[in-house]
């Protein structure tokens, strides 16, 4: 399917920035999907994912959660984030979660790269506060449901990856009109928020990602006890970020199956 994709401003005062991909030569209303970023932002990979959903017949919006009034702070510029990604790709995986080993590797970088990587790393990984993004998440739903001409009046779902997976779950607790939510290797929502979920939820997890996947049985139990719809898959032999084909963790079988499954999930609940 032919699509059109570009950056847009939206929100009451056009304060938010997002990457919008829409299918061409179709008549509305067309259901919509909010595609929520990894911690790396709305990079080339997330833009590609948004276009894939548009090619499947959805209006797809990926909110840039780091942009304020259309611009990102310097520490979260695309160039600076690429430097952090490159740094993490060049150090042993053991250094990712070992502050001392990571600091030694950063100390070996030349200036000004050392300061830039330190600052951006601290900004990205300083702790996710989901409440910070709730206004933009809800504005994204509102824009697609009531303002975007092609999806106006249609159902809206969400899908997110890692950080975005957690935020897809958060949006399900905050938007009672959300029609479906998909979580790719993201944290479960707070237990006290589960009763607010009104839509079916589908989760996709990796067996070699215990920090996230070990939460899933308890999350499933809490959803069942609250009378909520939750399905999930755990892919054996897959690591965190198995869907991201730009990273070493990419797992083609898990990525293929999860994409087919999430398309079927949305086909059932966004029509």
């Amino acid at each position: 399917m032919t699509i059109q994709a570009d950056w847009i401003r939206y929100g009451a005062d056009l304060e938010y920035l997002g990457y919008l991909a829409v299918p061409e030569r179709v008549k509305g209303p067309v259901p919509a999907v909010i595609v929520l970023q990894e911690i790396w932002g709305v990079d080339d990979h997330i833009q590609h994912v948004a276009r894939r959903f548009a090619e499947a017949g959805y209006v797809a919006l990926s909110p840039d959660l780091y942009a304020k009034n259309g611009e990102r702070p310097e520490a979260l510029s695309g160039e600076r984030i690429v430097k952090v990604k490159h740094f993490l790709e060049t150090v042993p995986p053991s250094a990712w979660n070992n502050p001392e080993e990571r600091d030694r590797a950063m100390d070996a970088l030349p200036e000004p790269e050392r300061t830039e990587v330190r600052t951006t790393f601290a900004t990205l990984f300083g702790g996710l506060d989901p409440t910070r993004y709730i206004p933009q998440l809800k504005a994204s739903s509102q824009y697609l449901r009531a303002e975007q001409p092609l999806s106006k009046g249609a159902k809206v779902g969400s899908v997110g990856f890692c950080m975005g997976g957690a935020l897809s779950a958060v949006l399900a607790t905050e938007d009672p009109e959300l029609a479906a939510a998909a979580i790719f290797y993201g944290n479960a929502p707070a237990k006290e928020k589960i009763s607010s979920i009104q839509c079916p939820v589908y989760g996709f997890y990796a067996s070699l990602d215990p920090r996230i996947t070990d939460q899933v049985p308890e999350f499933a139990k809490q959803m069942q006890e609250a009378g909520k719809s939750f399905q999930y898959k755990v892919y054996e032999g897959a690591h965190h970020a198995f869907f991201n084909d730009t990273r070493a963790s990419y797992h083609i079988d898990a990525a293929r199956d999860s994409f087919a499954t999430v398309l079927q999930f949305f086909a059932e609940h966004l029509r």
Side-chain angles (χ1 to χ4, degrees):
M1 181 179 296
T2 305
I3 65 167
Q4 182 177 1
D6 206 350
W7 291 93
I8 64 163
R9 297 281 293 273
Y10 65 102
D13 298 311
L14 302 181
E15 67 269 41
Y16 298 127
L17 180 69
Y19 183 79
L20 180 72
V22 299
E24 292 186 331
R25 296 195 299 274
V26 298
K27 294 182 179 179
V30 173
V33 176
I34 301 170
V35 180
L36 293 163
Q37 64 183 59
E38 292 182 307
I39 201 165
W40 311 117
V42 185
D43 58 7
D44 289 344
H45 167 65
I46 293 297
Q47 292 174 39
H48 180 222
V49 173
R51 293 195 298 271
R52 288 173 67 181
F53 279 106
E55 289 167 352
Y58 297 96
V59 173
L61 174 65
S62 186
D64 188 332
L65 301 175
Y66 296 153
K68 302 300 180 186
N69 295 315
E71 296 185 1
R72 288 189 183 187
E74 183 179 358
L76 293 176
S77 68
E79 180 182 353
R80 292 277 289 269
I81 289 176
V82 166
K83 288 183 179 180
V84 171
K85 290 173 72 174
H86 177 71
F87 167 75
L88 290 175
E89 289 167 357
T90 58
V91 299
S94 59
W96 294 7
N97 297 310
N98 184 323
E100 292 183 359
E101 186 178 359
R102 190 173 63 242
D103 285 344
R104 287 196 298 269
M106 285 186 186
D107 286 340
L109 295 173
E111 288 289 7
E113 184 180 359
R114 180 191 312 154
T115 298
E116 291 175 345
V117 168
R118 281 192 184 281
T119 303
T120 298
F121 186 94
T123 303
L124 287 172
F125 295 97
L128 173 64
D129 176 10
T131 61
R132 178 191 316 171
Y133 303 114
I134 288 173
Q136 186 169 0
L137 298 179
K138 295 172 74 171
S140 301
S141 290
Q142 173 67 16
Y143 168 77
L144 292 169
R145 191 180 292 124
E147 300 169 33
Q148 162 56 228
L150 192 57
S151 59
K152 188 174 182 178
K155 292 183 178 180
V156 176
S158 65
V159 58
F161 304 86
C162 187
M163 165 186 166
L167 292 174
S168 184
V170 168
L171 182 58
T173 70
E174 294 288 335
D175 180 1
E177 295 184 65
L178 195 71
I183 303 168
F184 277 72
Y185 34 84
N187 287 320
K191 180 179 180 180
E192 62 270 18
K193 291 287 189 177
I194 287 177
S195 62
S196 300
I197 296 175
Q198 300 300 315
C199 67
V201 179
Y202 211 123
F204 302 91
Y205 306 97
S207 67
L208 301 179
D209 184 21
R211 184 181 68 84
I212 298 295
T213 305
D214 287 355
Q215 305 174 27
V216 176
E218 182 62 23
F219 178 36
K221 177 183 176 183
Q222 292 168 358
M223 289 286 282
Q224 182 179 29
E225 291 174 347
K228 307 301 180 180
S229 173
F230 179 56
Q231 302 175 74
Y232 69 93
K233 290 187 175 185
V234 176
Y235 293 99
E236 290 299 322
H239 289 270
H240 186 80
F242 63 76
F243 194 78
N244 189 333
D245 58 4
T246 71
R247 298 181 65 181
S249 56
Y250 178 63
H251 191 291
I252 191 169
D253 292 333
R256 182 190 298 119
D257 182 83
S258 59
F259 191 60
T261 303
V262 79
L263 286 179
Q264 181 60 39
F265 176 62
F266 285 150
E268 293 173 1
H269 297 290
L270 299 186
R271 59 188 175 188

